[in-house]
Amino acid sequence: MNLAVDRSAAADPEVVCLPMFGMTRTATATAFSPALAGADLRETYLDLPGHGDSPATCPPTSQALLDTVCAWLDHHVDAPVLIAGASYGAYLAAGIARQRPDLVRGLLLVCPGITIAPASRTLPDHRPPPGPAGWLDNAPTELRTHLDTALGHRTPAVVATVLAALHAGGPGDDTFQQALRTDPGYALPDEATDTPYDGPVSVLTGRQDGIVGYADQFHAMRRYPRGTFTTIDAAGHYLPFEQPALLRALTQDWLHRTLTSPMPRHTTAQRLRDNGRHG
């Protein structure tokens, strides 16, 4: 439960933002804070175990990371919170909504992973339009193939923004992250379970996302009876850095739906049970 955190001074309601795999709370704030600006939320950005400045204090499995985040929420928040995540962070956020809906007031899932195994993902059939000449020239050689696959908005400015995010924040634990990615426990045990979550959800995907695609995310919408699905052209896996204006517009819509809605039934029922146990 020893997680590095940045937390704004605003009062509740609170939004907890979870990072992409390997990224830090600093990069997550760069991605989400402009989209949340003006909403008067308490913004909370966490480093996952073994990421950024958080020590690797749990086994290298996704379930252990999810349990650690839930334990942090149990000890540091007094009411259900909004949860936002990108990529792996969104994968964990969706898992929290399945396993601990009492903690979740609403979900914002940006380029979420649906299945961990790359071979199981449905990826776009078509390549993105070519970028301008030399758009990848300033990227390290070892990252060019990844960025060519991941990016839909292919400009030198987007590449520079993504590279800055990849190198922002604490150092992380490379050994732990590698063990996590190669362990059978990288997949959550209930990954394929269609447990419904009945709170407000927005799922945002990139039309040219060559990492997790957008089709699996659409099929997973059966889990979210109050879910909105969007796929954005000229966007890939780093959507927050590729299309920040659209991310803000869609985030503001999600916030309006979430903050003007009654508490989800799962959340209310679980809280009543908890109060009965502890009252």
Side-chain angles (χ1 to χ4, degrees):
M1 216 173 47
N2 185 19
L3 298 180
V5 58
D6 290 331
R7 214 171 185 188
S8 70
D12 289 335
E14 183 166 4
V15 57
V16 176
C17 301
L18 303 180
M20 303 177 80
F21 189 95
M23 283 198 177
T24 67
R25 68 190 193 280
T26 304
T28 311
T30 301
F32 282 111
S33 190
L36 297 166
D40 197 28
L41 296 168
R42 187 175 196 181
E43 297 176 34
T44 296
Y45 299 93
L46 297 177
D47 278 340
L48 299 173
H51 291 67
D53 296 313
S54 291
T57 54
C58 67
T61 69
S62 291
Q63 186 63 54
L65 266 68
L66 186 153
D67 291 341
T68 301
V69 173
C70 289
W72 188 93
L73 293 171
D74 280 330
H75 283 79
H76 293 281
V77 303
D78 296 324
V81 294
L82 292 75
I83 300 184
S87 188
Y88 183 66
Y91 178 78
L92 292 180
I96 293 171
R98 288 193 304 272
Q99 298 181 23
R100 290 292 308 279
D102 58 300
L103 294 172
V104 186
R105 185 170 178 179
L107 283 177
L108 176 65
L109 307 177
V110 180
C111 302
I114 302 299
T115 60
I116 279 293
S120 67
R121 302 171 187 168
T122 305
L123 300 179
D125 294 328
H126 303 290
R127 294 280 299 156
W135 71 281
L136 275 173
D137 284 356
N138 291 328
T141 302
E142 65 272 16
L143 287 178
R144 290 181 185 177
T145 298
H146 168 72
L147 293 173
D148 184 46
T149 301
L151 291 176
H153 191 184
R154 302 154 80 82
T155 69
V158 167
V159 171
T161 301
V162 171
L163 291 175
L166 289 171
H167 294 98
D173 185 328
D174 290 339
T175 301
F176 177 85
Q177 292 179 27
Q178 179 62 21
L180 173 60
R181 295 192 80 153
T182 56
D183 192 280
Y186 192 27
L188 288 169
D190 63 344
E191 176 185 275
T193 303
D194 285 333
T195 303
Y197 170 72
D198 62 8
V201 179
S202 281
V203 178
L204 314 183
T205 64
R207 182 64 178 82
Q208 289 85 30
D209 186 340
I211 303 298
V212 300
Y214 61 87
D216 295 334
Q217 293 77 2
F218 178 75
H219 291 298
M221 293 303 292
R222 60 185 177 270
R223 304 172 181 177
Y224 307 123
R226 296 196 54 213
T228 293
F229 174 86
T230 306
T231 188
I232 298 173
D233 187 29
H237 197 58
Y238 292 98
L239 188 155
F241 308 108
E242 299 178 69
Q243 296 291 350
L246 284 173
L247 175 65
R248 174 171 170 77
L250 293 163
T251 297
Q252 294 293 313
D253 171 76
W254 169 69
L255 290 173
H256 175 76
R257 290 192 295 118
T258 302
L259 298 177
T260 59
S261 296
M263 205 68 73
R265 292 191 303 275
H266 287 131
T267 297
T268 304
Q270 184 67 48
R271 287 285 167 181
L272 289 172
R273 289 195 293 271
D274 288 345
N275 289 338
R277 283 198 297 267
H278 302 299

